[in-house]
Amino acid sequence: MKKIDYSYAGPALKNLGRYYDSPDKKARMMSFSASGFAVAFEGSELKAEFIATECGRPQGEASLAVVVDDAPFASAKKIVLNQSDATYVLAEGLPQTRHV
């Protein structure tokens, strides 16, 4: 299993939208709508650790929309970040090959 941390700068990770790096939290912070990332990986599963605020609040809850490969956005998997610091499975059960 390979791990990419917040300071990674290379071809496997592309940041989207507005974000900032927090050396104090050792995290890349995405606090704006339509911010995110695209990650290229090889395997059948992708996990990521997220720090979230507003957990459990229906107004402004932190959530992700996960789109794998060339799937349409309408089929995105919604993941609600319901813990302040946790690892979430973004994709699983995929063919053992390269994905984005």
Side-chain angles (χ1 to χ4, degrees):
M1 175 173 80
K2 293 182 182 178
K3 185 175 182 177
I4 295 177
D5 74 4
Y6 83 101
S7 64
Y8 172 85
L13 179 64
K14 178 182 177 184
N15 295 299
L16 306 170
R18 297 183 293 170
Y19 64 89
Y20 65 95
D21 289 338
S22 172
D24 293 341
K25 294 185 185 240
K26 297 184 180 176
R28 180 156 292 139
M29 310 299 283
M30 300 176 294
S31 59
F32 305 101
S33 302
S35 293
F37 59 92
V39 61
F41 68 100
E42 197 158 320
S44 61
E45 181 179 77
L46 180 66
K47 296 179 183 179
E49 182 179 353
F50 290 93
I51 299 169
T53 58
E54 307 300 323
C55 297
R57 293 185 61 195
Q59 296 292 326
E61 71 181 0
S63 62
L64 308 169
V66 179
V67 178
V68 178
D69 298 329
D70 294 325
F73 188 78
S75 69
K77 172 184 176 182
K78 180 179 179 180
I79 299 175
V80 175
L81 304 180
N82 56 11
Q83 298 177 55
S84 60
D85 187 351
T87 300
Y88 294 86
V89 176
L90 303 183
E92 61 187 339
L94 302 172
Q96 187 75 27
T97 187
R98 185 180 185 281
H99 301 281
V100 177

